[in-house]
Amino acid sequence: MIYPIVKYGDPVLQKSAAAITSFDDELKRLVEDMFESMYAARGVGLAAPQIGISKRVAVIDVTFKEDPDAKLVLVNPEIVHKEGRQRGTEGCLSLPEFREEVTRAKTVTVRAQDIDGKFFERTGEELLARALLHETDHLNGRLYISHISALKRDLIKRKIKKLAKAGEW
Ligand SMILES: [Zn+2]
């Protein structure tokens, strides 16, 4: 099932999501639906709060369907190591049409559980490092615009307010 993507302004995006405690069929269905919703929205990462579900699950595929092995499911993820710096543009399905330069760590290690509850660690560089940080942030109620200057952030917020007023957000 394809869920609509929740946009900036919805409080679900700004709260810390709840830990997953049952690794059951419901979770498996949620993860499937999240991949489907992410691909439909042409994204490379999606966190459950972005479909209105405040749970600590995120899916990532930085190859966008090219490599099935690149599909990554993160349940209850924690960033355990960050190294180096990279600058690059970043966007978010919950902030469509906006993109900003964001400085992030270049190499990132996440510790998470898989769909069966098994713990694993995964280290990513470049785009994957960025995705690991971006999606884990979502589960803590943070959006990438919290990493840009207040001036740029206010500009985006003002534009969104205008769009909302016109019924286009
Ligand atoms: Zn996002």
Side-chain angles (χ1 to χ4, degrees), residues 76-97:
N76 301 324
E78 304 276 353
I79 301 297
V80 292
H81 189 71
K82 290 195 270 189
E83 216 176 289
R85 265 159 69 94
Q86 58 169 325
R87 249 183 110 62
T89 41
E90 203 163 312
C92 178
L93 294 176
S94 296
L95 287 146
E97 312 296 326

Side-chain angles (χ1 to χ4, degrees), residues 1 21 35 69 74 77 85 87 94 105 130-131 147-148 162 169:
M1 172 187 164
T21 50
F35 272 114
D69 292 335
L74 303 172
R85 265 159 69 94
R87 249 183 110 62
S94 296
R130 190 176 284 283
H147 298 288
I148 65 175
K162 236 185 235 172
W169 186 256

Side-chain angles (χ1 to χ4, degrees), residues 44-90:
V44 294
L46 184 77
Q50 292 183 278
I51 54 166
I53 296 171
S54 193
K55 290 183 181 174
R56 302 187 88 78
V57 192
V59 298
I60 292 172
D61 177 3
V62 291
T63 73
F64 196 80
K65 294 186 189 173
E66 247 173 58
D67 177 6
D69 292 335
K71 283 174 82 175
L72 188 58
V73 178
L74 303 172
V75 181
N76 301 324
E78 304 276 353
I79 301 297
V80 292
H81 189 71
K82 290 195 270 189
E83 216 176 289
R85 265 159 69 94
Q86 58 169 325
R87 249 183 110 62
T89 41
E90 203 163 312

Side-chain angles (χ1 to χ4, degrees), residues 122-137:
R122 179 75 186 262
T123 298
E125 295 195 338
E126 314 276 346
L127 182 57
L128 181 55
R130 190 176 284 283
L132 293 172
L133 293 167
H134 183 115
E135 300 312 330
T136 305
D137 265 359

Side-chain angles (χ1 to χ4, degrees), residues 89-149:
T89 41
E90 203 163 312
C92 178
L93 294 176
S94 296
L95 287 146
E97 312 296 326
F98 293 99
R99 291 188 77 77
E100 288 293 337
E101 284 257 313
V102 183
T103 302
R104 298 276 199 181
K106 193 170 183 181
T107 309
V108 170
T109 302
V110 70
R111 184 170 191 266
Q113 283 166 280
D114 67 12
I115 192 103
D116 299 308
K118 208 174 136 224
F119 281 94
F120 68 96
E121 277 192 13
R122 179 75 186 262
T123 298
E125 295 195 338
E126 314 276 346
L127 182 57
L128 181 55
R130 190 176 284 283
L132 293 172
L133 293 167
H134 183 115
E135 300 312 330
T136 305
D137 265 359
H138 268 303
L139 304 181
N140 295 322
R142 276 191 104 178
L143 297 168
Y144 80 89
I145 54 169
S146 67
H147 298 288
I148 65 175
S149 74

